[in-house]
Amino acid sequence: MKLHFLGAAREVTGSCFLVEALNVRFLVDCGMVQGGRTAAARNHEPFPFDPASIDFVLLTHAHIDHSGLLPKLTRAGFKGAIYATPATVDLLGVMLPDSAHIQESDAKRNAQRLRGKDALPPLYTLQDASDCLQQVRGIEYDREFAPRVGVRARFRDAGHILGSAIIEVWVTEYGYPTKLVFSGDLGQPGRPILRDPTTIEDADILVIESTYGNRQHKDFSATEEEMIGIVEKTLFERGGNVIVPAFAVGRTQEILYHLHRLTCEGRLRQPKVFVDSPMATQATRITREHLELFDEQAKRLAGWHARGENLPYLSFTASAEESMALNRIRSGAIIISASGMCDAGRIRTTCGTTCHAANAASCFPVSRRRGRLAGA
Ligand SMILES: [Zn+2]
């Protein structure tokens, strides 16, 4: 058996592993390289294998740095199934078309800038994304399945984002099974909404995410107190707004959860909360549809929410006009918007300074919001 590391090795994006064994070749993840000047060029490079020769793909989760090149893979001739959990399938249904839209807009803008000379075509189009989604198959957590003769696989909860999975794969060669475990991105135990990562007891080969491997996470209660302090001071003492740049999938829902919980517990005065990102809005909708994956605490909060007691005011902006209208709110609002991993968010700041978003329809500098940036 051969295991090739084609991305996310000595870097944290572009996850892609190729497993070659007797009579089978498959990928685990097919992610986009993100960040840095060379990312676009690297994503355009041809795959270092023949996509048509790949039998199937196992996908750990929907984040674009793990799934973002799937439409490129299918466009290049991959005809097999892409296996993922049902929640990941739902998230891919909004994330891949969104990613295609970004690719198309970027290519158009570059073509205008370069007046057609040496401009790269879109990495893939909306049509490619929707063709790719036809090949996606949902498999529940903890259920063993056989993507091909001689291969068994199982998704276990990774507690990272909705639908995220650690993948166990047993590959049989010459009558002997080898167990490979791909951790995908791992959640921190005790995080809200999602269940804790599953403990995997054994593996012959373990491929593990190590982004925070050498760091101690801050004590959560200190972070919580900091958040309450920022909101209280900015909204109620200084009369401003709090702007929270947050990843659309995962982090936005966590922040909403904490704002709800703190308000319900009477530790925050009822704030007005706006989610200003179509992707975050869709991801929040999909999260609510998968109550079965929530941990006990989140299920209790959902029940509380259903009773409608003591909740913060929560609104999702649907159009660019509604988004622009948020600029007129002078104080008292918490505005959560996309940033970071999304290349076309409405707030784009990784450095705490004002930057323009790539999405022209809804682009405006942060400073116009007169808000205080809170890291997320
Ligand atoms: Zn991730």
Side-chain angles (χ1 to χ4, degrees):
M1 186 189 304
K2 278 189 187 160
L3 180 54
H4 303 264
F5 294 83
L6 305 178
R10 298 180 190 274
E11 59 182 340
V12 295
T13 63
S15 281
C16 186
F17 310 106
L18 167 64
V19 180
E20 289 183 299
L22 201 65
N23 303 324
V24 68
R25 280 157 73 82
F26 64 93
L27 294 183
V28 175
D29 291 349
C30 190
M32 189 180 279
V33 179
Q34 294 181 304
R37 282 200 203 127
T38 57
R42 285 180 60 198
N43 287 321
H44 272 90
E45 282 170 13
F47 288 109
F49 51 82
D50 175 11
S53 73
I54 301 297
D55 296 303
F56 59 90
V57 177
L58 302 172
L59 183 65
T60 58
H61 66 291
H63 273 155
I64 287 298
D65 60 327
H66 290 254
S67 70
L69 292 190
L70 286 170
K72 182 186 162 194
L73 187 75
T74 50
R75 189 168 77 167
F78 168 66
K79 294 273 186 284
I82 300 163
Y83 297 98
T85 65
T88 297
V89 174
D90 289 350
L91 286 172
L92 287 180
V94 294
M95 292 177 76
L96 293 183
D98 181 74
S99 174
H101 174 69
I102 294 167
Q103 300 307 322
E104 289 188 284
S105 330
D106 282 357
K108 206 160 141 192
R109 208 172 21 256
N110 278 337
Q112 280 165 355
R113 188 171 54 85
L114 299 167
R115 301 217 172 98
K117 273 186 238 151
D118 300 324
L120 287 168
L123 192 55
Y124 49 82
T125 62
L126 267 172
Q127 186 59 50
D128 295 326
S130 86
D131 292 345
C132 170
L133 289 168
Q134 303 294 319
Q135 288 170 236
V136 177
R137 309 273 176 272
I139 306 275
E140 305 284 346
Y141 282 121
D142 303 328
R143 216 193 90 194
E144 232 177 79
F145 62 102
R148 197 174 171 87
V149 177
V151 183
R152 289 179 296 126
R154 183 163 62 176
F155 293 125
R156 312 300 299 276
D157 203 332
H160 167 60
I161 59 163
L162 192 79
S164 65
I166 300 165
I167 308 178
E168 295 175 295
V169 200
W170 293 265
V171 179
T172 301
E173 286 182 302
Y174 308 106
Y176 294 98
T178 302
K179 180 178 177 184
L180 298 102
V181 173
F182 295 89
S183 73
D185 288 355
L186 290 169
Q188 225 182 309
R191 283 253 304 272
I193 306 178
L194 302 173
R195 296 181 298 218
D196 288 353
T198 313
T199 302
I200 306 294
E201 302 288 347
D202 61 326
D204 296 309
I205 297 167
L206 172 65
V207 180
I208 192 164
E209 186 237 341
S210 58
T211 310
Y212 297 103
N214 60 350
R215 281 186 233 163
Q216 287 285 355
H217 285 289
K218 237 205 251 174
D219 171 39
F220 184 71
S221 60
T223 308
E224 195 174 78
E225 287 305 322
E226 202 180 343
M227 182 170 168
I228 294 170
I230 288 172
V231 171
E232 274 292 318
K233 194 167 176 191
T234 312
L235 261 50
F236 303 110
E237 287 175 31
R238 295 171 55 189
N241 300 320
V242 174
I243 315 282
V244 187
F247 296 144
V249 182
R251 198 56 62 93
T252 293
Q253 292 75 40
E254 267 183 34
I255 291 166
L256 286 176
Y257 170 87
H258 286 303
L259 290 173
H260 261 82
R261 184 178 55 79
L262 293 170
T263 309
C264 290
E265 289 171 4
R267 295 167 67 194
L268 263 186
R269 284 186 256 178
Q270 279 171 300
K272 291 193 190 81
V273 183
F274 297 89
V275 176
D276 183 28
S277 148
M279 175 56 68
T281 300
Q282 297 274 30
T284 308
R285 173 184 60 76
I286 293 169
T287 304
R288 283 175 174 164
E289 287 168 6
H290 283 278
L291 199 65
E292 80 283 0
L293 302 180
F294 283 22
D295 62 14
E296 285 311 311
Q297 221 184 359
K299 278 182 188 157
R300 266 202 308 279
L301 191 78
W304 205 339
H305 185 95
R307 290 197 297 278
E309 296 160 6
N310 203 22
L311 297 173
Y313 168 85
L314 176 61
S315 170
F316 294 85
T317 59
S319 62
E321 290 73 37
E322 279 180 37
S323 175
M324 292 301 281
L326 294 181
N327 290 336
R328 293 198 288 275
I329 301 176
R330 290 296 171 218
S331 67
I334 299 175
I335 300 165
I336 304 171
S337 189
S339 87
M341 277 190 189
C342 303
D343 284 331
R346 286 174 177 176
I347 296 175
R348 200 178 191 202
T349 171
T350 49
C351 52
T353 55
T354 301
C355 309
H356 283 277
N359 183 352
S362 55
C363 134
F364 48 83
V366 171
S367 59
R368 284 181 55 197
R369 293 229 158 131
R370 299 191 342 141
R372 172 167 177 190
L373 282 163

